[in-house]
Amino acid sequence: MAAVIEDAALARLIERVQAARADGTKLEIVGGGSKRWHGEAPRGEPLATSELAGISSYEPSELVITARAGTPLAEVEAALAERGQWLAFEPPRFAPGGTVGGMLASGLSGPGRASTGSVRDFVLGATMLNGRGELLSFGGQVMKNVAGYDLPRLLAGSLGVLGLICEVSLKVLPRPPAVATLRFELPEDQALRRLNEWAGQPLPLSASAWWDGMLVLRLAGAAAAVQSAYEKLGGEPIEPTLADGFWCGLRDQHDEFFVGAAAAVERGAALWRLSLPATTPPLKLAGEQLVEWGGAQRWLCTPLPAAAVRAAAAAAGGHATRWRGRGDEPVFTPLAPVLGTLHRRLKDAFDPDRVFNPGRLYPEL
């Protein structure tokens, strides 16, 4: 449904979008710029969201926060931290300056995604500006409000091709009272086997990562549950400050694996993000691999051609995204014909004149 908001900054954006539609100008939605490298190369005149900033409402007792798209993610996380709450999907920040709108548009989640869900699972409602310059509002601020519930989720990972996200309502969670990190020296096949065994047990598993013969496991929850799991699983405990630094580095991709991958990319390799069934055995591909999310997300830094990487991912029942590195092939796995038709219909419904972020997600959008 259309929403009416008396707001000077929003009025200016609406006017800009309507003018762009009238004269055929393409617009690139720009937030903090921390994820501008993600997806296909941006095109169009910049349309900044910086004026749409500020936390609109925060109800700690209801576990709901609403913020405008240009609000720095750091501001939201600081407000939540004061009340012992957090964004449990741990959205990657990559660099300072990231915004709430960019968080939703990228649809990315951090180490806790496998245990708590992704960003789309925490979106309760959203307001967006479509390609006609119309302000649309979907969902609400409570989980019980299911009117249009799937449409806010649809914005997660859309990279702005459907419209300009203006405001988002998110479910937040209390921080777990107890956290412990353990490490185990294991080869990849044994690490994957154990992760899948543990996933079927009542354990407070919060995050996992395997690289170079080392499995790191995070437990989080009630103190008694964390202590019981630690006694059952064994492993070597990691001092909390070091553990926090590790998980933060993994979340923002500043840890040793990603630093090495960045150097390899400079020499001509590519970093791939593979989404696979968690039970997939180790992939026999050349290059360095890091495994997250209990085996469901795997990072591969390799000089192999895109066709070889995507064929291996498809054979395992998954898909591959070129995360970093140059190449003539698409960033995202090309869509099957039926899915491609659905995407084009959505684009036609929200942005028929192709005003926003042309080609950023797929060339035809």
Side-chain angles (χ1 to χ4, degrees):
M1 63 178 177
V4 178
I5 298 179
E6 295 182 3
D7 182 286
L10 192 53
R12 286 191 290 271
L13 287 171
I14 291 173
E15 183 179 350
R16 176 82 184 281
V17 172
Q18 290 174 338
R21 184 191 184 204
D23 62 23
T25 300
K26 307 305 180 184
L27 299 176
E28 177 203 349
I29 301 171
V30 180
S34 62
K35 303 175 186 67
R36 194 168 184 267
W37 51 269
H38 181 48
E40 301 291 352
R43 290 187 284 137
E45 295 182 3
L47 180 67
T49 65
S50 54
E51 287 190 282
L52 290 180
I55 296 174
S56 306
S57 67
Y58 176 31
E59 299 292 340
S61 62
E62 298 294 331
L63 300 177
V64 175
I65 191 167
T66 300
R68 305 181 82 187
T71 309
L73 184 57
E75 180 180 331
V76 170
E77 294 194 302
L80 295 176
E82 290 180 0
R83 304 303 293 264
Q85 297 177 349
W86 69 324
L87 299 173
F89 54 92
E90 299 178 283
R93 294 159 297 201
F94 303 123
T99 62
V100 170
M103 175 198 73
L104 179 58
S106 66
L108 302 174
S109 304
R113 188 259 182 268
S115 61
T116 62
S118 68
V119 57
R120 75 178 64 241
D121 299 311
F122 286 79
V123 179
L124 301 177
T127 299
M128 67 171 286
L129 187 62
N130 70 10
R132 298 182 180 90
E134 300 169 334
L135 194 63
L136 307 178
S137 182
F138 307 111
Q141 294 185 339
V142 294
M143 288 298 288
K144 294 179 182 177
N145 185 345
V146 296
Y149 185 70
D150 286 338
L151 288 172
R153 290 184 171 195
L154 190 65
L155 296 176
S158 64
L159 290 183
V161 302
L162 299 180
L164 170 65
I165 298 168
C166 298
E167 190 173 68
V168 183
S169 291
L170 297 163
K171 177 178 68 172
V172 301
L173 293 180
R175 278 197 170 273
V179 179
T181 297
L182 311 173
R183 61 184 170 196
F184 307 79
E185 290 190 18
L186 292 170
E188 184 180 6
D189 59 341
Q190 292 185 28
L192 288 168
R193 185 165 59 251
R194 289 203 188 183
L195 285 169
N196 281 280
E197 290 173 355
W198 292 337
Q201 300 176 25
L203 297 168
L205 303 179
S206 170
S208 65
W210 178 91
W211 176 55
D212 195 25
M214 187 69 67
L215 172 64
V216 183
L217 193 70
R218 187 174 69 189
L219 308 172
V226 170
Q227 180 61 32
S228 176
Y230 166 51
E231 293 173 356
K232 178 178 181 178
L233 298 176
E236 178 185 355
I238 300 178
E239 193 272 327
T241 301
L242 291 177
D244 289 346
F246 170 78
W247 295 115
C248 183
L250 192 65
R251 172 186 178 181
D252 294 335
Q253 299 192 349
H254 296 156
D255 77 326
E256 187 177 355
F257 170 82
F258 289 102
V259 170
V265 166
E266 288 295 321
R267 298 192 297 270
L271 177 62
W272 291 86
R273 179 193 183 201
L274 279 60
S275 179
L276 305 171
T279 54
T280 303
L283 297 178
K284 304 301 182 182
L285 295 172
E288 291 278 345
Q289 293 188 46
L290 183 148
V291 179
E292 286 192 90
W293 300 359
Q297 178 167 267
R298 308 190 191 185
W299 300 96
L300 170 67
C301 186
T302 181
L304 289 173
V309 176
R310 289 202 157 118
H319 59 85
T321 297
R322 179 166 52 83
W323 191 252
R324 299 275 194 177
R326 294 177 294 275
D328 296 329
E329 74 289 337
V331 169
F332 301 102
T333 299
L335 294 170
V338 172
L339 288 177
T341 298
L342 289 174
H343 276 69
R344 287 190 295 274
R345 287 178 178 174
L346 284 169
K347 182 70 170 177
D348 290 341
F350 287 97
D351 185 19
D353 298 298
R354 299 328 197 236
V355 174
F356 292 117
N357 286 12
R360 186 72 184 274
L361 190 62
Y362 294 104
E364 62 270 27
L365 304 182

